Amino acid sequence: MNERGASTALLTDHYELTMLAGALADGTAERPCVFEVFARRLPDGRRYGLVGGTQRVLDTIARFQFGEAELARLSESDVVDRATLDWLASYKFTGDVDGYPEGELYFPGSPILTVRGTFAQAVVLETVVLSILNHDSAILSAAARMVSAANGRPIIEMGSRRTHESAAVDSARAAYIAGFATTSNLEAGRTYDIPTAGTCAHAFTLLHDDERAAFQAQIDALGVGTTLLVDTYDITNGINTAIEVAGPSLGAIRIDSGDVGVLARHAREQLDSLGAKDTRIVVSGDLDEYAIAALRAEPVDAYGVGTSLVTGSGAPTAGMVYKLVEVAGRPVAKRSSHKESRGGRKGAMRRHKPTGTALEEVVYQPDKQWPQMSDDDRDLQVPFLRGGQPVADPPTLEQCRKRVKRGLVSLPWEGLKLSHGEPAIPTVFID
C-alpha cells in the first residue's frame, strides 16, 4: 500500500459534506445506493482510454477516516453540524466496490467503477475517487500512446519538474504501467519499486571549466556506461569530446535541444566513425507522442519524456464522473442537457473476433438482462471490495503492464492511430 499522506478524509469536498448533513437530517442517509464512475466521452482526438489509479483508490478507501484533527477543522470552520461530526467520527466504508482492473481499456459509458453502500458512506468518496482516477487514467492513456509511437524503443519518464510533487510520483507509476521503461523520480522508485534512470543536466557541464572536465568527472563517478549530455555547447565537438574521454564503449549520449531527428542522424554517423557503434542515442526535450512517431525512422535508441506526459499530452483529465444511478433498487438518472446519465447498476463485457480483435463494448444491467457471451467475449468488471474488505490481493505493476499490452494488441489497427477519429470500438447499451 502507498502510505504517503496517511490521512485522506479531508480530500472530500465541502458540497459532499453538505449533502451528507442534509441526508442525515432528513433520514435518507442510510438508503442503499449505487454510484458509478464513467466517462461520457473520450478526450478530444482519443480513440481509447486506459484505467489508471484503481489500486490507489482502493488503498485510499481503506484508510479514509476522520481523525481528531480533521473533525476539529470541520468543527472550527462550521462546515457541518454536531450530528454530522459525530457520524463522521465513526466513518469506515463497509460497502462493495467492483470495476475495471487497472490497465484495462475503457470507452464512453464504460462502468469503470461501481460503488455500493449507503448514500452517506458512498457520497463522501466522490472527490477522492475522481481525483485519483481522472489523473492516473489521463496520464496512463497519454503514456500508452507514446509507448505505441515508440514502437518498442524504451521511454524514460522525466516529468517531475513539471507537476505537483505528489502528482509526479503517481504520474511515474501510471507511465510505468503504460509501458515506460524507467522513471527519473526516486520517490516513485522507492514507493512503487519502479526502475529509475537519469543523467546529468546542463548545469553540471556549466559548473566545470570546460566540457571535457565535466565529462571526465561523470565518467569517474559513474563509469563509461553512463549517458553524457553532449549539446550544452556545440554538439559535434561534444560528441568528439565524449568519446575521447570515455572511449568507444560509452553507454549513451543525450540530445536535449534542436531538431533532434536531424541531430540524431548526424550523431549516429559521427559515433560510428569514431568506433562507438554501440553507444546509444537518447533524445529528450518537449517530446510527445506525435514527436516520437515522427522520429520513428531516425537512429534514436530511447526517449526522455516530461511535460507532455505529466499533463496528459493535452488531456490532463479523463473527464470521468461519479453519478448516483440507483436508490434502494430503483434506477435514477440525471436528465440535464448534454449531461445525461443512464439509471440502474451496470455491468460490461467486450466482444471479440475469434482472432482476439475487439468488436464492441456492451454495457448491460445485470438485474434485468445478461447478454449472451461467446468463448471470445470477456466480462470486464471484477469484484474489489466486499463489506469494505479486499476480495483478492492487489495486482502487481507487472501484471498491470501486461494487461495494457494485451488490451492495445486487441484494438483494431485504426484504433491505435494518433489522428482524430471515433472510439476504436463502439459502446452498445442494452436497457
Side-chain angles (χ1 to χ4, degrees):
M1 178 187 295
N2 176 12
E3 295 296 338
R4 291 182 299 118
S7 176
T8 60
L10 287 192
L11 292 177
T12 195
D13 197 90
H14 195 133
Y15 87 89
E16 291 158 17
L17 295 192
T18 300
M19 289 191 287
L20 171 63
L24 288 170
D26 73 2
T28 57
E30 296 303 310
R31 288 183 176 179
C33 291
V34 178
F35 285 82
E36 284 181 351
V37 176
F38 61 93
R40 293 187 177 93
R41 62 193 65 84
L42 297 175
D44 185 45
R46 302 295 173 86
R47 297 172 184 249
Y48 63 86
L50 286 161
V51 178
T54 306
Q55 191 56 47
R56 294 212 302 123
V57 166
L58 299 175
D59 291 344
T60 300
I61 290 175
R63 64 177 193 273
F64 194 87
Q65 294 177 308
F66 292 78
E68 292 184 5
E70 290 79 24
L71 294 170
R73 170 60 184 170
L74 295 175
S75 178
E76 292 165 3
S77 55
D78 292 324
V79 173
V80 292
D81 57 18
R82 173 50 56 184
T84 305
L85 287 172
D86 291 343
W87 187 90
L88 291 172
S90 60
Y91 178 84
K92 184 173 177 59
F93 182 77
T94 58
D96 300 340
V97 177
D98 300 82
Y100 284 33
E102 192 151 18
E104 183 61 79
L105 292 163
Y106 75 87
F107 299 94
S110 296
I112 293 164
L113 199 75
T114 302
V115 180
R116 288 177 286 172
T118 66
F119 179 82
Q121 281 206 346
V123 74
V124 298
L125 297 174
E126 177 176 355
T127 293
V128 70
V129 166
L130 287 181
S131 66
I132 294 172
L133 290 178
N134 269 317
H135 174 268
D136 288 25
S137 298
I139 304 304
L140 201 160
S141 299
R145 285 160 57 89
M146 297 173 192
V147 171
S148 294
N151 198 32
R153 298 172 182 175
I155 310 179
I156 308 166
E157 188 280 312
M158 303 168 61
S160 298
R161 300 168 186 173
R162 298 294 186 265
T163 190
H164 185 277
E165 66 270 21
S166 295
V169 179
D170 298 314
S171 293
R173 176 184 181 277
Y176 185 70
I177 290 174
F180 274 47
T182 54
T183 178
S184 64
N185 189 294
L186 295 179
E187 182 58 39
R190 179 177 73 165
T191 303
Y192 297 120
D193 198 25
I194 298 171
T196 61
T199 184
C200 292
H202 294 291
F204 186 75
T205 302
L206 296 171
L207 168 69
H208 292 79
D209 294 335
D210 56 40
E211 199 170 44
R212 180 180 297 275
F215 289 170
Q216 188 63 62
Q218 186 174 337
I219 293 294
D220 290 345
L222 302 173
V224 296
T226 192
T227 300
L228 296 178
L229 182 60
V230 294
D231 65 346
T232 303
Y233 305 117
D234 177 82
I235 187 171
T236 301
N237 291 336
I239 292 173
N240 283 332
T241 303
I243 301 305
E244 287 173 6
V245 172
S249 297
L250 175 65
I253 63 167
R254 178 161 75 98
I255 303 171
D256 189 51
S257 57
D259 187 336
V260 293
V262 173
L263 293 174
R265 207 177 314 141
H266 292 317
R268 183 74 272 159
E269 293 173 357
Q270 185 179 357
L271 288 168
D272 289 349
S273 71
L274 296 171
K277 296 182 181 295
D278 294 326
T279 297
R280 297 176 300 115
I281 297 173
V282 181
V283 299
S284 56
D286 295 324
L287 298 180
D288 60 14
E289 61 266 48
Y290 302 102
I292 292 171
L295 291 168
R296 187 174 293 183
E298 305 297 348
V300 173
D301 297 289
Y303 306 92
V305 180
T307 302
S308 62
L309 184 279
V310 298
T311 57
S313 195
T317 176
M320 296 177 184
V321 294
Y322 183 94
K323 294 301 177 184
L324 179 63
V325 297
E326 191 172 287
V327 177
R330 174 175 57 87
V332 295
K334 183 176 179 179
R335 300 302 182 198
S336 304
S337 178
H338 303 297
K339 287 190 174 182
E340 300 88 350
S341 61
R342 292 174 178 269
R345 180 172 69 93
K346 300 168 199 70
M349 51 88 74
R350 190 169 299 141
R351 297 196 186 280
H352 299 81
K353 295 179 179 179
T355 58
T357 301
L359 288 172
E360 61 184 15
E361 190 100 336
V362 179
V363 177
Y364 60 92
Q365 295 189 31
D367 295 334
K368 289 184 177 181
Q369 180 181 6
W370 286 71
Q372 290 187 338
M373 294 179 61
S374 73
D375 292 339
D376 302 312
D377 300 334
R378 183 163 57 87
D379 222 11
L380 295 169
Q381 281 202 338
V382 299
F384 292 134
L385 302 179
R386 289 293 180 267
Q389 298 301 310
V391 172
D393 292 335
T396 66
L397 294 190
E398 293 303 323
Q399 289 172 324
C400 294
R401 281 164 66 92
K402 290 178 181 178
R403 183 176 292 112
V404 169
K405 191 172 183 179
R406 288 196 302 268
L408 295 181
V409 168
S410 75
L411 289 177
W413 68 269
E414 61 270 16
L416 294 173
K417 288 182 177 180
L418 298 180
S419 58
H420 283 236
E422 294 298 314
I425 60 173
T427 305
V428 177
F429 295 93
I430 300 178
D431 296 320

